[in-house]
Amino acid sequence: VALLLLWALCNAIRVNGEESNGRCDHKLRFNARPHSVSIQEFGAIGDGKTLNTIAFRNAIFYLKSFADKGGAQLYVPPGRWLTGSFNLTSHLTLFLEKDAIILGSQDPSHWGIVEPLPSYGRGIELPGRRYRSLVNGYMLRDVVITGDNGTIDGQGSVWWEWFTSHSLNYTRPHLVEFVSSEYVLVSNISLLNAPAYNIHPVYCRFVFVFLKFISTSISCSNVHIHNISVYAPPESPYTVGIVPGKFSKSFFNIPVSDSSDNICIEDCNISMGHDAIAFKSGWDEYGIAYGRPTTIAHVRRVDLRSSTGSSLAFGSEMSGGISDILVEEVHLYDSLTGIEFRTTIGRGGYIKEIMISDVDLLNVNTSFAAIGDCGSHPDDKFDPDAFPVLEKITLQNIIGTNITIAGNFKGIEESPFTFICLSNISLSINSTSLSAWQCSYVSGFSESVFPEPCPELMNSSTSSCGILMLELQFYNIIL
């Protein structure tokens, strides 16, 4: 074991250097599809008024026949292509040309109704079922959504109005959702005005989301999100950019993350009404019973803005567990909270082994928060003795400008938050701040932190932080 740890140390992740060795360095490469058709060949009309749901469904049904012939591409040319919900198929590329816009219908009957996710037990917003997402994938493999910066626009304003006025009968839909899928790549597109979440990979493996397309080699189940722009206006209620979660023990499973693993989110620009990126893994007794953690995720080189939530959030639905997350080289700005860990009594589960490094904060009210009384319960069946665990969190190499509160750490008396490691952090606190740090039921270590943190986080020994960093580096290397 000592030799293995020494080897890991010599080859460790260099969060300040050029090498990372995180999940985003395990590149996916998707070969060009040998077959391609245009959505126009199936009668679609891109005038922004004609409903093209049947055209999308027929085209994808036709392309399904090429799955064993190298797969196929559905080409969406410039135009405004109005549609309701449709399902993708395996070995498919959905390509949106420049100035191509897939528009979500504002008629809820065009979206369909589906059962709630088993790890939630009910809709997030309302008991019972939920609306189907606009673009869906269920138990798929080898799926790409990309383009020349085309757009998927959910036209969510009507959904936001219905949500605010309590006029909905079911939980709002998302723009893109993959369930129990693997080898998924989303890149080179823009996502606008989602009714709720923009990208929601759940129970997935190997999901990659990029803003800019990068050719990568495929060697394991992954979800990769790369070079995408995601936007909803500040007033949009509880809209979320990427929710990765409920991933299996494989590669990235996104709910802007939900019970998924081996996730890469890279080179993205996300500006949302609520959370920009949120890691989740199930709700109370349903998440505990389903037992699917979100694990092994890598986020880097992203710009995140969250008007009323957190730029980077963990929980509060985390009952399946969240662990082994590496975040580096991120810019968080104009947000209520920069980095927040959320849980409450009755959740069970854990949030642990999280490393966040090289962060630039600008105009953020609260830089860091860990809250032990956040979030509601789906019903009254939760176990009041199911105490969540929050431990082994490292925050390092962080600079903040125009910050109101440095940190708010509010743990749980029966299950305090432990092993919080703060290192090389400098925050410029504005004149409106009354107290830079607020702490209760928390313990940890700090070194080179300004302003000076609360006594609970000032253990003089930083060796435990070093051990934690080594554990995370070793874990990423062997995987």
Side-chain angles (χ1 to χ4, degrees):
V1 172
L3 287 174
L4 284 173
L5 288 174
L6 179 61
W7 175 82
L9 180 61
C10 293
N11 296 277
I13 299 169
R14 283 188 251 163
V15 292
N16 291 315
E18 296 179 357
E19 296 182 20
S20 171
N21 291 329
R23 291 302 98 197
C24 289
D25 292 314
H26 293 253
K27 301 300 185 182
L28 289 175
R29 184 180 304 279
F30 291 88
N31 296 325
R33 308 295 189 188
H35 309 278
S36 180
V37 298
S38 169
I39 189 65
Q40 290 178 302
E41 297 177 46
F42 295 84
I45 299 174
D47 59 4
K49 300 177 181 179
T50 303
L51 188 67
N52 296 296
T53 310
I54 298 301
F56 275 100
R57 291 177 179 175
N58 286 344
I60 292 168
F61 180 79
Y62 169 74
L63 295 177
K64 187 175 182 179
S65 63
F66 295 97
D68 59 349
K69 303 177 181 66
Q73 173 179 278
L74 177 57
Y75 175 79
V76 182
R80 296 171 60 83
W81 309 92
L82 183 69
T83 181
S85 296
F86 61 90
N87 296 327
L88 301 178
T89 190
S90 293
H91 310 292
L92 175 75
T93 295
L94 177 62
F95 188 96
L96 281 69
E97 186 58 85
K98 182 180 180 181
D99 298 323
I101 304 174
I102 293 178
L103 290 172
S105 170
Q106 294 188 312
D107 183 341
S109 68
H110 295 156
W111 292 68
I113 308 296
V114 294
E115 294 299 317
L117 294 167
S119 57
Y120 282 79
R122 47 158 281 183
I124 289 289
E125 297 165 349
L126 292 167
R129 296 185 292 172
R130 60 195 183 106
Y131 283 102
R132 184 189 303 273
S133 298
L134 185 64
V135 182
N136 298 272
Y138 178 68
M139 296 186 69
L140 302 184
R141 178 182 176 89
D142 175 22
V143 180
V144 179
I145 301 177
T146 189
D148 187 13
N149 199 32
T151 300
I152 301 177
D153 187 340
Q155 300 197 104
S157 59
V158 294
W159 295 96
W160 308 334
E161 292 173 7
W162 294 330
F163 174 82
T164 303
S165 64
H166 305 286
S167 302
L168 290 169
N169 295 319
Y170 306 100
T171 291
R172 288 177 296 169
H174 312 314
L175 269 191
V176 178
E177 182 174 76
F178 288 96
V179 179
S180 301
S181 300
E182 60 182 5
Y183 299 109
V184 177
L185 170 65
V186 182
S187 72
N188 264 26
I189 62 170
S190 294
L191 302 173
L192 302 177
N193 305 315
Y197 299 167
N198 283 270
I199 302 178
H200 187 212
V202 61
Y203 320 138
C204 293
R205 306 175 62 197
F206 304 99
V207 179
F208 292 78
V209 181
F210 300 99
L211 281 177
K212 299 174 184 174
F213 179 76
I214 290 181
S215 182
T216 54
S217 64
I218 197 166
S219 60
C220 49
S221 299
N222 286 270
V223 177
H224 206 153
I225 302 174
H226 177 86
N227 289 341
I228 65 169
S229 295
V230 185
Y231 176 81
E235 65 274 13
S236 58
Y238 294 99
T239 53
V240 181
I242 301 175
V243 182
K246 304 183 185 67
F247 295 154
S248 61
K249 277 282 184 182
S250 57
F251 275 70
F252 190 82
N253 231 325
I254 300 175
V256 313
S257 174
D258 218 317
S259 299
S260 301
D261 64 10
N262 289 284
I263 302 160
C264 169
I265 302 174
E266 178 177 54
D267 296 319
C268 297
N269 191 327
I270 303 172
S271 178
M272 300 306 301
H274 194 49
D275 298 335
I277 296 178
F279 291 89
K280 300 178 181 290
S281 67
W283 205 0
D284 287 8
E285 68 272 17
Y286 303 103
I288 295 171
Y290 201 72
R292 293 285 293 273
T294 288
T295 184
I296 316 176
H298 189 190
V299 178
R300 71 178 177 187
R301 298 194 303 267
V302 295
D303 291 348
L304 306 178
R305 175 184 180 182
S306 172
S307 301
T308 64
S310 299
S311 297
L312 188 62
F314 298 81
S316 70
E317 300 86 15
M318 38 66 68
S319 302
I322 300 171
S323 68
D324 301 295
I325 311 295
L326 171 63
V327 180
E328 55 183 339
E329 301 176 56
V330 297
H331 176 218
L332 315 179
Y333 67 102
D334 297 348
S335 298
L336 182 63
T337 306
I339 301 166
E340 186 168 28
F341 303 90
R342 308 165 178 158
T343 187
T344 193
I345 294 174
R347 284 286 191 271
Y350 54 83
I351 303 175
K352 64 180 182 179
E353 293 163 1
I354 313 295
M355 180 185 289
I356 301 175
S357 179
D358 297 293
V359 180
D360 178 26
L361 297 161
L362 176 63
N363 304 330
V364 174
N365 184 72
T366 302
S367 293
F368 322 118
I371 308 299
D373 60 353
C374 181
S376 60
H377 301 284
D379 50 43
D380 59 3
K381 299 177 183 178
F382 69 93
D383 180 0
D385 294 324
F387 296 110
V389 172
L390 193 151
E391 64 178 6
K392 298 182 180 178
I393 309 296
T394 295
L395 305 173
Q396 65 173 13
N397 305 331
I398 298 172
I399 296 177
T401 303
N402 193 25
I403 307 300
T404 302
I405 299 173
N408 180 19
F409 292 86
K410 184 180 180 182
I412 298 171
E413 182 176 5
E414 297 86 350
S415 183
F417 301 162
T418 60
F419 281 92
I420 308 298
C421 300
L422 310 176
S423 174
N424 193 25
I425 297 173
S426 178
L427 305 174
S428 175
I429 306 298
N430 59 43
S431 58
T432 62
S433 177
L434 298 177
S435 177
W437 294 86
Q438 302 168 11
C439 300
S440 62
Y441 305 115
V442 62
S443 64
F445 315 87
S446 60
E447 180 180 24
S448 301
V449 176
F450 179 84
E452 189 174 87
C454 34
E456 295 92 330
L457 298 173
M458 291 180 62
N459 189 305
S460 59
S461 171
T462 58
S463 60
S464 296
C465 290
I467 291 172
L468 169 60
M469 292 169 61
L470 182 59
E471 287 176 351
L472 288 169
Q473 293 161 358
F474 178 65
Y475 190 63
N476 274 279
I477 287 170
I478 63 176
L479 289 172

